[in-house]
Amino acid sequence: MPRQCYFRSQTIFTTSFLPIRKFWLAALQHSLISNDKLALVKEIDQQQAYLDFHGFIDYLELHQLLHFSKSISNGLCVLNPRYGTSDVIVQKGLPASGVFLLAHEIGHAYYNSYLPRNAEMGNSLFSEICALLTEFQMMRHLEFSNQASTWRKILLTRLSTIFLGMFFLDIFEESILSATEPDLNRILELKVAAKETVSGQSNPLSSINSLPYDFLLDTELFASKRNVYQYPEAAAFAIDLGFRMESDPELQKEFCDYISSVSTNHSLSIFEFYRHIGVEISSTFYTDVANSVNRWLSSLTYAWRGQ
């Protein structure tokens, strides 16, 4: 039986998202070359005094640890704990929305660089929070850039992928694993139910990938090891942490110092870090985190509609 989602009792404000296909179209129509994307990721430093993505990306390039390839789908970060280095490999030729993929994989490598030699992140949820925190800080920089009106559409595309697309896949997978000897017809029913759980019958997500048996071709679902709910949870924690760091920049330094404390006797835990910075994991904790996410989604959508 798969574990329950930390936020299962909460509601991420998915109705914030306008018709998703419009977002996808906006993302595909806007393009940037790889060097322009790298320049944007370097600008994350403007969000935080304790960040050094500019210097870190220069280091990756100098040591040939950053690769753009047409032979890879999406992106990958590979840590070599023996040498304390991470290779970042990202698909070449992605549209402008690929800047978030680039920020994501560089974020993995950036926070890996705080690990002691021969140590690994260990906790996959914590590792994804690091990468998605970098995406969030990238988004916040672009949200207030001189091209904010264009980037808001692309931001909402990425966020809808996490909170609608990936959450749908997680609920669908959980329902399949929880079913007793499901046959093909039952799996189809579970697919429809999962879409309705995430977005409601009237939401445009209900018509996406509407071929009834498309899930049989989904290697992410059937041929990959996946941690159910990990991306939506990690994104919610990353957004909440990102806002806390904006209010108190010292938390960024504390976050990096906390990663440096990992050892064979001490694994990383997002809940331990929250306690470390004085946040009580109470009955209202998950509601507070979800509210933090929802306020931002609402403000993004309001700004998009007002353009």
Side-chain angles (χ1 to χ4, degrees), residues 8 34 95 103 111 186 263 265:
R8 191 61 185 260
S34 297
Y111 288 103
R186 178 57 181 152
S263 68
N265 298 318

Side-chain angles (χ1 to χ4, degrees), residues 71-267:
S71 62
I72 187 173
S73 175
N74 294 320
L76 185 66
C77 176
V78 182
L79 169 66
N80 185 327
R82 180 180 178 186
Y83 295 104
T85 60
S86 296
D87 277 272
V88 175
I89 311 164
V90 178
Q91 183 179 345
K92 187 175 183 180
L94 289 172
S97 56
V99 72
F100 301 121
L101 174 64
L102 184 60
H104 186 103
E105 300 305 336
I106 289 176
H108 275 304
Y110 181 80
Y111 288 103
N112 283 347
S113 71
Y114 285 93
L115 292 168
R117 187 68 62 88
N118 290 317
E120 298 184 51
M121 197 72 72
N123 187 313
S124 60
L125 176 63
F126 195 95
S127 177
E128 289 306 326
I129 289 170
C130 291
L132 287 159
L133 173 62
T134 308
E135 282 197 59
F136 171 76
Q137 291 170 327
M138 178 83 265
M139 290 177 179
R140 290 291 281 172
H141 174 64
L142 295 172
E143 185 183 355
F144 298 104
S145 69
N146 57 12
Q147 290 187 307
S149 60
T150 298
W151 281 109
R152 282 191 197 102
K153 303 172 187 176
I154 302 174
L155 263 62
L156 286 165
T157 304
R158 173 60 180 154
L159 290 166
S160 69
T161 300
I162 295 171
F163 289 117
L164 290 181
M166 292 182 182
F167 198 45
F168 154 71
L169 193 60
D170 290 336
I171 292 174
F172 184 33
E173 178 175 340
E174 182 190 49
S175 63
I176 294 174
L177 294 176
S178 302
T180 304
E181 298 183 2
D183 58 20
L184 190 57
N185 289 333
R186 178 57 181 152
I187 291 175
L188 287 176
E189 292 172 359
L190 294 172
K191 177 184 175 184
V192 172
K195 287 186 176 181
E196 291 178 0
T197 298
V198 172
S199 56
Q201 293 182 352
S202 61
N203 192 287
L205 184 66
S206 300
S207 63
I208 293 173
N209 294 330
S210 56
L211 294 174
Y213 300 101
D214 60 343
F215 64 86
L216 294 174
L217 303 176
D218 195 335
T219 56
E220 183 77 5
L221 183 64
F222 287 106
S224 300
K225 180 181 178 181
R226 298 177 60 253
N227 291 307
V228 181
Y229 299 119
Q230 180 169 269
Y231 264 77
E233 287 175 349
F237 285 128
I239 292 168
D240 180 70
L241 279 176
F243 278 119
R244 292 177 189 272
M245 290 172 180
E246 287 183 12
S247 299
D248 182 2
E250 289 290 328
L251 292 181
Q252 180 71 62
K253 181 178 183 300
E254 290 191 49
F255 189 68
C256 296
D257 289 344
Y258 175 71
I259 294 172
S260 299
S261 72
V262 69
S263 68
T264 53
N265 298 318
H266 176 226
S267 58

